[in-house]
Amino acid sequence: MSDIIFAAKALTKTYISGEMQVLALRGLDLKIYAGEVVVLLGPSGSGKSTLLNIMGGLDHATSGQLFFRNLDLTNLDDRGLTAYRRQHVGFVFQFYNLIPSLTAYENVALVTEISSDPMRPDEALALVGLETRMHHFPAQLSGGEQQRVAIARAIAKRPDVLLCDEPTGALDSKTGIRVIEALLSVNTQLGTTTLIITHNASIQDVADRVLFFADGQISRMHKNKARQAAAALSW
Ligand code: ADP
């Protein structure tokens, strides 16, 4: 039996803006297994970011349950969610949010200095293929390289899960592929459970599963048997 890392049961999220109610998640049931790479696909507004934000402890669900292992995230207050995020979650967003006056190494070191069991910044940067660019400033790096620094920063604290919201959204498709390769390499080497919202077609073929979202629900799921078989062999 695979190890379940997230289990959502009848999860809903309703946003209230003025008189309007938006049902962003409509009773979602989902299991995510440890070590998986899962891609979330679907039209804009279908609830992908809402789910990722709730899984990452950035937002509260409205009803239903979401377990991270044995921890019910829907029972935690803001303080509990902050502790959960710090300990377990790495985020990668479309924009890299690097500090321009710090080198790649120093940007990663900012995180490792406040984590309990971090890897060294140079180790994290080597995992994304940037060992020769460690002492460059963000302005001296391409967009794809900057995103790889952001990935190194996210994984340096050894999170259990890596949540990526449109990590290649600001990149051309060729550069985007390098970023996706970096994410897959981290997954293979560290076993970090990885969820990725992306429109980049190339990752759909290399993910373990693709979840298709429509109107706040998962409308269908595609399992990539080839990748699952390869992963089983490598363990
Ligand atoms: P996706 O990531 O698939 O584009 P989202 O999860 O961002 O979709 O949004 C789902 C729905 O929830 C959309 O209708 C969106 O407008 C709405 N929504 C998202 N965030 C908020 C918010 N903070 N306030 C009000 N409505 C929101």
Side-chain angles (χ1 to χ4, degrees):
M1 244 331 246
S2 300
D3 180 16
I4 295 169
I5 195 160
F6 281 113
K9 293 177 192 163
L11 196 69
T12 77
K13 176 69 182 180
T14 306
Y15 290 108
I16 315 249
S17 50
E19 308 249 298
M20 289 275 292
Q21 282 202 356
V22 179
L23 295 173
L25 295 179
R26 297 172 184 253
L28 196 120
D29 295 309
L30 175 66
K31 290 190 177 93
I32 301 289
Y33 299 95
E36 273 193 303
V37 176
V38 178
V39 163
L40 283 61
L41 271 187
S44 174
S46 57
K48 306 180 298 293
S49 296
T50 300
L51 177 63
L52 217 68
N53 288 344
I54 295 173
M55 283 181 151
L58 292 172
D59 203 354
H60 295 273
T62 304
S63 69
Q65 285 183 307
L66 175 64
F67 284 91
F68 167 79
R69 300 198 185 281
N70 294 323
L71 183 68
D72 186 352
L73 299 182
T74 45
N75 266 342
L76 296 181
D77 58 12
D78 285 343
R79 212 174 160 161
L81 286 181
T82 301
Y84 157 73
R85 272 200 315 272
R86 282 218 183 116
Q87 223 180 326
H88 301 290
V89 189
F91 291 100
V92 178
F93 296 106
Q94 178 170 353
F95 300 105
Y96 328 122
N97 301 317
L98 300 177
I99 296 178
S101 58
L102 299 180
T103 64
Y105 183 100
E106 290 163 344
N107 266 282
V108 177
L110 273 187
V111 173
T112 57
E113 279 160 15
I114 57 165
S115 308
S116 58
D117 175 31
M119 60 182 84
R120 293 193 321 267
D122 54 312
E123 268 182 272
L125 286 160
L127 275 172
V128 296
L130 285 180
E131 54 274 52
T132 60
R133 295 271 201 282
M134 279 194 299
H135 302 299
H136 291 224
F137 291 93
Q140 300 170 314
L141 299 170
S142 70
E145 287 169 340
Q146 290 183 55
Q147 186 60 300
R148 279 149 62 200
V149 175
I151 294 169
R153 180 183 56 188
I155 55 149
K157 66 175 182 183
R158 304 181 196 277
D160 298 286
V161 292
L162 186 59
L163 303 179
C164 312
D165 196 343
E166 296 278 8
T168 63
L171 302 170
D172 63 64
S173 59
K174 210 170 149 195
T175 315
I177 288 169
R178 293 296 313 274
V179 166
I180 297 295
E181 282 170 357
L183 288 171
L184 291 173
S185 160
V186 167
N187 171 264
T188 308
Q189 294 184 60
L190 302 181
T192 316
T193 309
T194 305
L195 277 79
I196 309 170
I197 298 177
T198 184
H199 295 296
N200 195 312
S202 56
I203 192 162
Q204 297 168 38
D205 303 329
V206 290
D208 296 298
R209 278 194 293 161
V210 182
L211 307 177
F212 295 88
F213 278 68
D215 206 15
Q217 288 193 319
I218 295 169
S219 59
R220 73 195 163 90
M221 188 188 299
H222 168 74
K223 280 190 197 176
N224 190 340
K225 296 214 173 70
R227 154 117 180 142
Q228 290 186 328
L233 284 176
S234 70
W235 285 116

